[in-house]
């Protein structure tokens, strides 16, 4: 006969409802992280290789240094690349164009800043072109024309330009462009006359352009736009090398 053990009853602990939600367990990996200021980090935006003969940034040419006419750029290969930072506040764009006939080299470098409401940027452009220039030789004493001859000329242009754009709202903005341009004309040394009487010529220009832009168009698909847009602009160009030549 086994002795019976006395029964022991245990009252359960009372459960009290709480209005506060249970806090989740903290992740230890986040407890070691510290806030640090943002550091610029760039990534490629686009890289293109194409055939192109469009005008890059410079809309006007010197009549005197281009033999009295407008010289269209030669068809050439264009390589361009753009870099954006992670927050898309800064953008660097560069490009090189080499004509198929190797008659000049054009390259540019552009920086754009979108940190604040007013966007601004800087641009440097160098272009080189070759063409035939008719040169007339005149007697200094009598003023009579002696003869004319065609010479090969090389025009090198450097452009440094700054731009500012201020938007009033999503569709309206004003823009301002100001820059300095240098044109250098060199003649090929073909004979004694070209060495003695055709020195290098320099021209310096001050460029300015103001724009008012309205654009509420959208692009629902590629090359298809819907909406309305227009632009009012004014330009003034001043020839610094002479001091008395300007146009608008």
């Amino acid at each position: 006969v086994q002795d019976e053990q006395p029964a022991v009853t245990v009252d359960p602990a009372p459960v009290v409802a709480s209005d506060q939600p249970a806090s989740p367990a903290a992740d230890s990996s986040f407890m070691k992280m510290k806030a640090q200021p943002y550091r610029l980090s760039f990534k490629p935006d686009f890289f293109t290789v194409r055939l192109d003969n469009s005008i890059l940034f410079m809309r006007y040419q010197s009549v005197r240094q281009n033999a009295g006419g407008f010289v269209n750029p030669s068809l050439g290969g264009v390589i361009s690349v753009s870099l954006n930072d992670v927050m898309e506040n800064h953008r660097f764009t560069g490009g090189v164009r080499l004509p198929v006939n190797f008659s000049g080299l054009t390259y540019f470098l552009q920086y754009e800043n979108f940190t604040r409401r007013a966007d601004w940027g800087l641009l440097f452009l160098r272009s080189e072109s070759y063409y035939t220039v008719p040169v007339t030789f005149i007697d200094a004493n009598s003023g009579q024309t002696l003869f004319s001859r065609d010479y090969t000329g090389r025009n090198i242009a450097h452009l440094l330009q700054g731009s500012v754009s201020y938007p009033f709202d999503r569709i309206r903005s004003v823009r301002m462009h100001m820059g300095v341009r240098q044109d250098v004309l060199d003649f090929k040394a073909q004979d004694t006359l070209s060495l003695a009487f055709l020195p290098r010529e320099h021209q310096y220009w001050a460029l300015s352009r103001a724009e008012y832009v309205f654009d509420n168009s959208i692009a629902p698909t590629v090359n298809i736009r819907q909406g309305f847009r227009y632009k009012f602009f004014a330009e003034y160009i001043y020839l610094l090398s002479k001091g008395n030549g300007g146009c608008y």
Side-chain angles (χ1 to χ4, degrees), residues 77-214:
V78 180
I79 300 176
S80 58
V81 60
S82 177
L83 299 176
N84 280 352
D85 78 312
V86 176
M87 304 299 294
E88 297 185 354
N89 290 332
H90 307 272
R91 177 189 300 163
F92 288 94
T93 306
V96 179
R97 177 167 64 192
L98 181 64
V100 293
N101 56 0
F102 300 99
S103 62
L105 178 67
T106 300
Y107 58 86
F108 70 92
L109 179 63
Q110 185 179 23
Y111 167 73
E112 296 172 281
N113 187 295
F114 308 103
T115 305
R116 302 185 183 278
R117 182 171 183 176
D119 303 333
W120 61 274
L122 295 174
L123 167 69
F124 174 76
L125 171 70
R126 181 192 184 275
S127 64
E128 180 181 355
S129 58
Y130 292 84
Y131 48 88
T132 302
V133 182
V135 179
T136 301
F137 293 90
I138 301 176
D139 189 354
N141 297 325
S142 62
Q144 296 181 354
T145 300
L146 300 179
F147 59 90
S148 297
R149 185 175 298 176
D150 292 338
Y151 287 91
T152 301
R154 181 184 67 171
N155 188 18
I156 302 176
H158 297 89
L159 173 65
L160 181 62
Q161 179 178 279
S163 304
V164 178
S165 175
Y166 185 85
F168 296 115
D169 49 31
R170 187 181 60 85
I171 60 179
R172 297 178 302 163
S173 64
V174 291
R175 304 173 185 179
M176 185 68 184
H177 311 273
M178 298 190 68
V180 178
R181 172 177 165 179
Q182 178 197 48
D183 291 333
V184 181
L185 177 60
D186 279 330
F187 290 95
K188 184 178 180 180
Q190 302 176 198
D191 49 28
T192 305
L193 293 176
S194 60
L195 286 173
F197 300 103
L198 297 178
R200 173 180 293 183
E201 297 184 7
H202 294 80
Q203 286 185 347
Y204 297 90
W205 302 84
L207 314 175
S208 60
R209 178 185 177 95
E211 303 176 355
Y212 172 80
V213 180
F214 178 92

Side-chain angles (χ1 to χ4, degrees), residues 18-39:
S18 175
D19 297 335
Q20 300 295 331
S23 59
D27 191 348
S28 60
S29 60
F30 290 95
M31 297 177 62
K32 300 178 182 179
M33 297 179 62
K34 295 182 180 180
Q36 295 182 354
Y38 168 68
R39 297 180 181 179

Side-chain angles (χ1 to χ4, degrees), residues 13-68:
V15 179
V16 180
S18 175
D19 297 335
Q20 300 295 331
S23 59
D27 191 348
S28 60
S29 60
F30 290 95
M31 297 177 62
K32 300 178 182 179
M33 297 179 62
K34 295 182 180 180
Q36 295 182 354
Y38 168 68
R39 297 180 181 179
L40 292 178
S41 177
F42 290 89
K43 62 178 181 179
D45 184 27
F46 66 83
F47 177 82
T48 59
V49 179
R50 67 185 187 276
L51 287 176
D52 187 89
N53 68 334
S54 61
I55 299 174
L56 297 177
F57 304 106
M58 291 193 298
R59 303 177 180 87
Y60 302 102
Q61 297 179 358
S62 173
V63 176
R64 173 177 173 80
Q65 297 196 0
N66 287 347

